[in-house]
Amino acid sequence: MLTRQPAMSVSSSVVSSPAPSDASLGAASPSSNCLCNRNQNQNHAKRNNSFTDSTMPASVGEKMDLVSPLPSPLTSSRYTFYSLRELPPLEITSRLVSAFIRGTSSLIYVLAEYEAMELISDIYTPNLEPTTAGLCELLAVIAVGAQYADVGSDTTMALFRSAKWYLDIEYGKDVDVLRKMRVSMLVGLFLIFEKSFFAIDYLAIRLAKSTGINKTTRSKPYSEREWASWRRVWGSLIFLDGWMASSIGIMPKISPGEDPIYAEGYRTCTNDSDAYLHSELIKLGILMGTITKNVYASAGTDFAPIAEHSKKLRAWQSSLPEPFRLTRSVSGNDSKQRSSVLLTHCSYLNCIILMSRKVLVEMCATHDSHMDDARRGLADEYAQMCVSAGRQLATVIGVIHSEGRLVRRCWLTIQSAYTAGLIASLCLATRQCRETTNFTVSSQDNELLTQCAGALKFCASCDNVAQRYLDILNSVRRSIESATPPSFSPPSSTGKKPPPKRLRTYPDQGFGRFQYPRFTDTDPVIQFIINLLRNPFGGEMRVLDGENTPLKVFPENWRFLCPEPPRNIGGFRTPSLTPEESTFQTSRPGPACVVSPSTGSDSLESSRRRKIPFRTKEEFEAFFRRVA
């Protein structure tokens, strides 16, 4: 990261402290008396001391009195507000810290494991005086960790609401600015999982620059070790800035020249593989932001910035050591950094697709007879590059899913699966259009589409954005299959053998050149796919100024959405959605997310179900013109 909610929801409804009326529901404000005191919460881990034995330093475990009554059930935390008097159960905190370190380390760097252990020690050790700032930081860490471990949506949201309240309301001015930057970044990371546009306000880039962390000169209060850690946190902010810019279409806030990592030929001199991959991911984040700014900010298609970024991407790929190359990564070569390598290549392939998809759309949707041969040849090169990257991305997503490395609410993999699925669908639909007499859906592209749909189906159980994307891909595939002659049905009915495994293992092997559609104006399926590829940013192409976003009108996750699944394409009619279903809602599907009628008065849940006045920006502008 990852849902359906109107403008007043998770991120906006918890800014103020819990209202007094919530006390009847079991909420606790920071100064209220709680059902269990701090000493009881400190002791909750005695029943399960595996964390203390295997992960927590011995010095920390020795200081803790781990004898306690049984902890309260997790389901009772729906209205809990965690404070210094009512802490989360220690065994849950330790479990989520471990999940946080394990989950975030595969992509970005936020804090070292020893720092997380120090936070636990400071908060849970008896006879110490913990600070509100330390509690806020620990709550933010374990709230993000809850995205990687199943502790229930109630517990997850209780942790997040508490952390965000302390950050927004009670985070003291005398607190270390760098630590406040990190807490804000954690809140932003959680909102990315929640698919909230408000995440861009919590990346704390301006706050980070005020500390001088974007400069290589070490500040005096910090040791070399501490400064190196904070510099890596700054690198994660660089990546998140570019990644968010490329995925939801906002102008990046970090400009070239602010950090030596922008310099041409910059290389990371380290034997630490995790640090090396982290630095390579930062470079991709920079490229994502500049591609969004230079390629998509203008309406036309200019080949000059595309050529420039293509050169940089080729240089990045060629500089990778052999163990980190794409073919080695998907061939089953297991290593400690395997998840990091696969996700890094997802980012790399997304860069290529973002850079070249405008050219692919133009080559498919237009027949410009006035284009000279040189420009046509260059356009064809970039269009083929986009298709090849999409097929490779689908292969990587298939590997991540098949090996159990997929995080259900991860925005990077959800968007990657959807984008790669669209390109595989375009290849499949185009071949059907050209081969009307001997077309069969049994092909490598169909297999890639199946892999993307399978990944989205896995994520859809906990993420409604993934469900929306899955509905679109399934509708497109059913439309293609419905137009296929019965004699050329899938291989299960014809007895044909599936493609050899090597085609599923090595990306882009066995694929021919993509053939552009010849009758796009008469084929509704191809036209629908092209329209989706034309608009990568929440159903539109315009790049927004992040400082002036129309969130007062639209739901906070409107930029993460795509158009509604098609009602009727290619002769296949999808079932109509009810008004409640068509309104994008935040509550996660599944038994853990069911809201009983008795709790329907909760402002958070009711705000998620409130119908938004306008589905798209175009509807709002049309309404405004009528009124004006």
Side-chain angles (χ1 to χ4, degrees):
M1 327 200 137
L2 326 178
T3 176
R4 302 186 181 180
Q5 65 196 66
M8 181 180 179
S9 58
V10 173
S11 62
S12 57
S13 62
V14 297
V15 173
S16 60
S17 63
S21 60
D22 288 342
S24 62
L25 300 174
S29 66
S31 59
S32 64
N33 294 324
C34 304
L35 296 177
C36 54
N37 58 34
R38 181 175 173 234
N39 290 332
Q40 289 174 326
N41 281 283
Q42 292 163 357
N43 301 328
H44 281 168
K46 184 62 177 178
R47 292 189 309 113
N48 180 11
N49 57 6
S50 59
F51 173 85
T52 307
D53 295 338
S54 60
T55 309
M56 183 177 294
S59 58
V60 177
E62 291 171 358
K63 293 180 181 179
M64 294 186 179
D65 179 13
L66 299 179
V67 181
S68 88
L70 295 177
S72 57
L74 289 180
T75 54
S76 67
S77 65
R78 184 172 188 80
Y79 298 100
T80 298
F81 185 91
Y82 293 114
S83 66
L84 292 173
R85 295 187 177 185
E86 184 175 3
L87 299 173
L90 178 57
E91 73 274 16
I92 299 303
T93 298
S94 60
R95 174 185 170 191
L96 295 184
V97 166
S98 298
F100 172 86
I101 298 297
R102 182 179 64 253
T104 58
S105 63
S106 64
L107 187 63
I108 61 175
Y109 178 89
V110 181
L111 79 169
E113 186 174 2
Y114 78 90
E115 294 176 289
M117 296 302 104
E118 288 175 355
L119 283 174
I120 296 178
S121 175
D122 292 343
I123 300 300
Y124 285 90
T125 301
N127 302 323
L128 290 183
E129 292 296 332
T131 63
T132 299
L135 175 63
C136 177
E137 190 169 4
L138 180 61
L139 288 173
V141 167
I142 60 180
V144 176
Q147 300 289 353
Y148 299 95
D150 184 14
V151 294
S153 60
D154 294 348
T155 299
T156 301
M157 294 311 300
L159 294 168
F160 171 71
R161 290 189 301 176
S162 304
K164 189 175 182 300
W165 188 89
Y166 281 117
L167 174 64
D168 291 340
I169 305 300
E170 283 209 348
Y171 212 89
K173 294 182 180 180
D174 56 339
V175 178
D176 188 336
V177 180
L178 285 176
R179 295 188 69 177
K180 183 175 182 179
M181 172 203 72
R182 182 163 63 189
V183 175
S184 185
M185 173 183 168
L186 287 166
V187 171
L189 190 58
F190 185 94
L191 292 173
I192 290 174
F193 277 102
E194 292 291 324
K195 315 297 186 300
S196 169
F197 200 96
F198 284 107
I200 63 175
D201 295 329
Y202 282 90
L203 294 185
I205 293 170
R206 186 175 300 173
L207 183 63
K209 292 179 181 178
S210 70
T211 67
I213 193 64
N214 57 324
K215 304 181 184 301
T216 55
T217 306
R218 176 173 60 91
S219 298
K220 291 183 179 179
Y222 303 100
S223 66
E224 290 287 350
R225 182 187 187 188
E226 291 172 332
W227 188 250
S229 177
W230 286 119
R231 287 283 297 167
R232 289 189 67 183
V233 176
W234 164 248
S236 296
L237 278 175
I238 293 177
F239 169 73
L240 290 175
D241 177 61
W243 175 39
M244 290 292 286
S246 66
S247 62
I248 61 177
I250 58 173
M251 294 296 286
K253 296 181 180 180
I254 299 177
S255 303
E258 293 186 11
D259 194 286
I261 202 168
Y262 281 93
E264 196 70 29
Y266 176 87
R267 291 293 178 268
T268 304
C269 299
T270 177
N271 294 324
D272 186 344
S273 297
D274 290 333
Y276 174 82
L277 287 172
H278 184 239
S279 67
E280 296 304 308
L281 199 64
I282 295 169
K283 299 173 192 176
L284 292 177
I286 296 168
L287 287 171
M288 290 176 185
T290 54
I291 289 172
T292 303
K293 180 179 179 180
N294 299 332
V295 176
Y296 279 92
S298 58
T301 302
D302 185 358
F303 282 1
I306 296 178
E308 178 184 354
H309 289 102
S310 177
K311 178 181 177 182
K312 291 181 178 180
L313 286 168
R314 284 197 300 268
W316 179 89
Q317 196 275 339
S318 62
S319 69
L320 288 178
E322 182 62 29
F324 295 152
R325 295 292 179 91
L326 180 59
T327 52
R328 287 285 299 275
S329 301
V330 301
S331 63
N333 180 28
D334 199 9
S335 67
K336 178 183 176 183
Q337 291 81 24
R338 181 161 175 75
S339 294
S340 302
V341 173
L342 292 172
L343 290 172
T344 300
H345 281 292
C346 279
S347 302
Y348 164 67
L349 294 169
N350 272 303
C351 277
I352 296 178
I353 294 172
L354 183 68
M355 175 193 71
S356 55
R357 65 192 290 169
K358 286 179 69 175
V359 182
L360 173 63
V361 167
E362 290 189 7
M363 292 292 287
C364 290
T366 63
H367 300 280
D368 188 358
S369 58
H370 302 289
M371 184 183 297
D372 60 80
D373 292 341
R375 183 176 176 84
R376 186 183 299 277
L378 191 58
D380 177 68
E381 177 185 346
Y382 291 136
Q384 297 293 338
M385 184 188 302
C386 185
V387 173
S388 176
R391 286 165 166 167
Q392 294 180 43
L393 182 60
T395 302
V396 175
I397 290 296
V399 172
I400 293 175
H401 182 211
S402 64
E403 294 182 353
R405 302 175 186 273
L406 190 61
V407 178
R408 291 182 187 271
R409 309 199 73 216
C410 175
W411 172 232
L412 173 60
T413 51
I414 289 173
Q415 188 194 39
S416 298
Y418 172 69
T419 302
L422 283 181
I423 293 176
S425 299
L426 177 65
C427 297
L428 202 61
T430 301
R431 195 166 66 84
Q432 180 202 48
C433 185
R434 299 176 66 92
E435 304 174 11
T436 55
T437 58
N438 59 353
F439 172 76
T440 173
V441 293
S442 172
S443 67
Q444 294 101 324
D445 287 313
N446 185 57
E447 183 181 357
L448 295 178
L449 179 57
T450 301
Q451 292 175 355
C452 294
L456 288 174
K457 183 177 180 180
F458 175 79
C459 297
S461 61
C462 291
D463 193 282
N464 287 325
V465 173
Q467 184 64 61
R468 168 77 61 91
Y469 290 172
L470 178 63
D471 291 342
I472 293 174
L473 292 187
N474 282 339
S475 297
V476 170
R477 179 155 64 172
R478 285 195 295 263
S479 299
I480 295 173
E481 291 175 350
S482 65
T484 304
S487 59
F488 296 99
S489 54
S492 58
S493 59
T494 61
K496 293 184 179 180
K497 295 182 179 180
K501 187 175 182 180
R502 62 186 179 88
L503 294 181
R504 298 193 295 269
T505 302
Y506 293 94
D508 229 23
Q509 182 176 346
F511 289 97
R513 288 179 62 83
F514 173 68
Q515 300 295 319
Y516 305 106
R518 289 179 286 191
F519 307 106
T520 57
D521 56 336
T522 59
D523 188 84
V525 180
I526 294 178
Q527 193 62 51
F528 180 77
I529 299 172
I530 290 174
N531 287 337
L532 292 177
L533 286 171
R534 179 181 285 113
N535 301 315
F537 307 131
E540 64 180 10
M541 187 173 174
R542 182 168 65 95
V543 178
L544 298 174
D545 179 2
E547 301 296 333
N548 300 297
T549 55
L551 288 177
K552 293 182 179 179
V553 177
F554 299 105
E556 66 180 73
N557 43 33
W558 65 286
R559 270 288 182 161
F560 291 88
L561 306 183
C562 281
E564 289 285 347
R567 292 288 183 267
N568 185 13
I569 58 173
F572 178 81
R573 181 175 296 278
T574 60
S576 298
L577 299 178
T578 65
E580 291 76 16
E581 292 172 327
S582 61
T583 301
F584 196 73
Q585 305 198 9
T586 301
S587 56
R588 307 174 194 172
C593 307
V594 174
V595 181
S596 63
S598 61
T599 62
S601 59
D602 178 31
S603 60
L604 176 61
E605 295 298 332
S606 62
S607 66
R608 293 176 180 174
R609 295 190 296 271
R610 189 179 298 116
K611 186 174 181 180
I612 60 176
F614 304 103
R615 190 176 310 283
T616 65
K617 181 175 180 293
E618 288 72 18
E619 289 184 10
F620 168 70
E621 290 178 344
F623 170 77
F624 183 78
R625 285 194 296 269
R626 291 197 302 270
V627 174

